[in-house]
Amino acid sequence: MPMQPWFTDAKLGIFIHWGIYAVDGVQESWSFYDDIVPYEQYMSQLDRFTASRYDPRAWAALFARAGARYAVLTSRHHDGVALWDSAYGGLGVGRDLIAGYADALREQDLKVGLYYSHSDWSHPDYASTRRPGRPPELEDNRYSEAAEEDEDLDAWDRFIAYRDGQVRELTSRYRPDLMWFDGEWERSEEQWRIPELAALIRAEVPRVVLNARMLGEGDYATPEQGAPVVPPEGPWELCLTINDSWGHQHHDRNHKSVDQLIRYFTETIGGGGNLLLSVGPREDGTIPDEQARPLEGLGDWIRRHEDAVYGTLRGLPAGHHYGPSTLSADRRTLYLMLFDAPRAEINVRGLLGSVRRVSVLGSGTELAHRVTGGLHETPGVLWIEPPSMADLDPHATVLAVELDCELERGGRGGGSPPGAPPTPVLSR
């Protein structure tokens, strides 16, 4: 299936890591896998997970105010605990927490995403085989794989049947727009039977979007916790925590500021990607204020600059403008992001053709501009007068550069050396 246009137009999603790990505020799944918390102690949180103040409509309203167009909820992490009443497997929270979430998102016109881990470190049949070609010097973990002499392919078949049953429940009941898989590193594509799993999913939801952790079947790349210096080609998504933790950890108060979130966001969309920003609700289902407030701040900024956000294309490569940029869908307006108050004229390099108008997005104030230099196919430098203090946004100012024709990425012009990135040129 071709990539669904809603995904590349969405720009912002909210990643919700919610599970029993929020009770004691321990790391999701990894805390017992790495022997930080005994398995029995980790699982004792199941009896204390209440979801007593869970209000999915409040979640959805917050996400909409943040400017998100989709969300992804951890339906089952590596610990094997399902957030819905599954007929497969014995671990669950005893109620369906997904149906209300899906309904609430759709009421806000947000796309519904579900996270699901390929691996299940609690399932009795999971640690029954091992990834082919695994270096023998790597230490085995009892939760994830068997010793070579103990492999049991019949048990693995039972695990795959369990996995398929749960995925079929998720797709048939909630009809997600996106499925976000994880845990793929523990087995090969063949062992996971990825083509068969993809066919199962698409039989229920043909237009579903799949991330790249559906090995060989994914629609987009998913770098984590750091914006790539060189953005991936094609669709991609940066998944990022709002503090230092995916799920709720009581001690983690290192929350990113609104300024930081705007920088991550604009650098990501300027490189053609989406930002999937993770929040960690408490065990009762409430999202902490210290996480909600930065989301609100990001949403306020997006609303003031939505022309430069939604439905845009990746902007100029590094070196053409000192900051991120995006390009309108018709390729006739270039949006330049400025994080600091300019002390001198703003310059843009590598543009062939003329600029019709430059203005401050939001206020509409027009800025004088001129081009210096340039010879034949060598572009000059566009210089833009700096905005006045009254026109500066408190977080990031956006300039709209209206072009006299479409901007294309191509050509080299100016005698660029072999191997240099293509210079943006205006088609004539």
Side-chain angles (χ1 to χ4, degrees), residues 93-106:
V93 295
R95 58 187 286 196
D96 185 352
L97 299 175
I98 296 180
Y101 154 83
D103 291 343
L105 288 189
R106 291 184 170 122

Side-chain angles (χ1 to χ4, degrees), residues 55-204:
D55 183 354
R57 284 191 171 90
W59 282 13
L62 172 63
F63 302 160
R65 292 196 301 275
R69 295 291 176 88
Y70 65 106
V72 178
L73 172 64
T74 50
S75 68
R76 179 179 69 65
H77 209 267
H78 316 316
D79 58 11
V81 179
L83 293 190
W84 77 101
D85 51 344
S86 176
Y88 298 85
L91 285 177
V93 295
R95 58 187 286 196
D96 185 352
L97 299 175
I98 296 180
Y101 154 83
D103 291 343
L105 288 189
R106 291 184 170 122
E107 287 174 6
Q108 292 283 349
D109 200 25
L110 304 181
K111 298 295 186 182
V112 175
L114 294 176
Y115 166 112
Y116 184 87
S117 175
H118 290 293
S119 54
D120 182 341
W121 296 332
S122 293
H123 195 281
D125 291 324
Y126 181 68
S128 57
T129 186
R130 58 195 294 112
R131 185 184 180 96
R134 189 177 188 279
E137 67 273 11
L138 293 181
E139 183 181 355
D140 296 340
N141 188 294
R142 64 189 182 280
Y143 296 111
S144 63
E145 57 192 343
E148 286 187 65
E149 63 273 15
D150 295 329
E151 285 191 291
D152 183 346
L153 298 185
D154 290 335
W156 184 251
D157 284 342
R158 291 195 299 269
F159 176 78
I160 291 297
Y162 149 80
R163 187 272 320 265
D164 288 352
Q166 287 203 324
V167 171
R168 189 178 292 107
E169 287 177 334
L170 292 173
T171 53
S172 62
R173 292 186 193 180
Y174 313 113
R175 308 198 66 77
D177 302 289
L178 182 151
M179 288 207 68
W180 210 104
F181 283 89
D182 198 7
E184 80 294 342
W185 64 87
E186 292 204 320
R187 300 292 188 274
S188 68
E189 179 180 341
E190 182 180 8
Q191 286 174 310
W192 289 128
R193 302 174 197 175
I194 294 291
E196 294 86 346
L197 178 60
L200 180 158
I201 295 168
R202 290 177 176 135
E204 293 286 350

Side-chain angles (χ1 to χ4, degrees), residues 338-352:
L338 310 176
F339 296 127
D340 303 307
R343 299 175 59 187
E345 290 176 293
I346 299 109
N347 65 28
V348 181
R349 297 183 295 280
L351 297 181
L352 286 172

Side-chain angles (χ1 to χ4, degrees), residues 269-272 313-317 325-327 334 409:
I269 67 173
L313 310 173
R314 70 173 65 202
L316 301 173
S325 62
T326 59
L327 184 63
L334 185 64
R409 298 265 309 269

Side-chain angles (χ1 to χ4, degrees), residues 222-292:
T222 55
E224 278 189 38
Q225 292 289 57
V229 176
V230 178
E233 291 298 325
W236 63 282
E237 173 191 75
L238 169 64
C239 44
L240 181 77
T241 53
I242 202 164
N243 51 11
D244 293 329
S245 309
W246 295 106
H248 180 67
Q249 297 192 29
H250 311 85
H251 65 277
D252 187 353
R253 302 190 178 278
N254 190 29
H255 294 89
K256 296 174 178 64
S257 67
V258 174
D259 283 336
Q260 289 174 322
L261 292 183
I262 291 170
R263 289 208 181 203
Y264 273 112
F265 178 63
T266 55
E267 288 170 358
T268 299
I269 67 173
N274 290 358
L275 177 63
L276 185 63
L277 186 58
S278 182
V279 297
R282 301 182 185 93
E283 66 82 22
D284 65 4
T286 57
I287 294 174
D289 288 344
E290 56 267 31
Q291 298 192 8

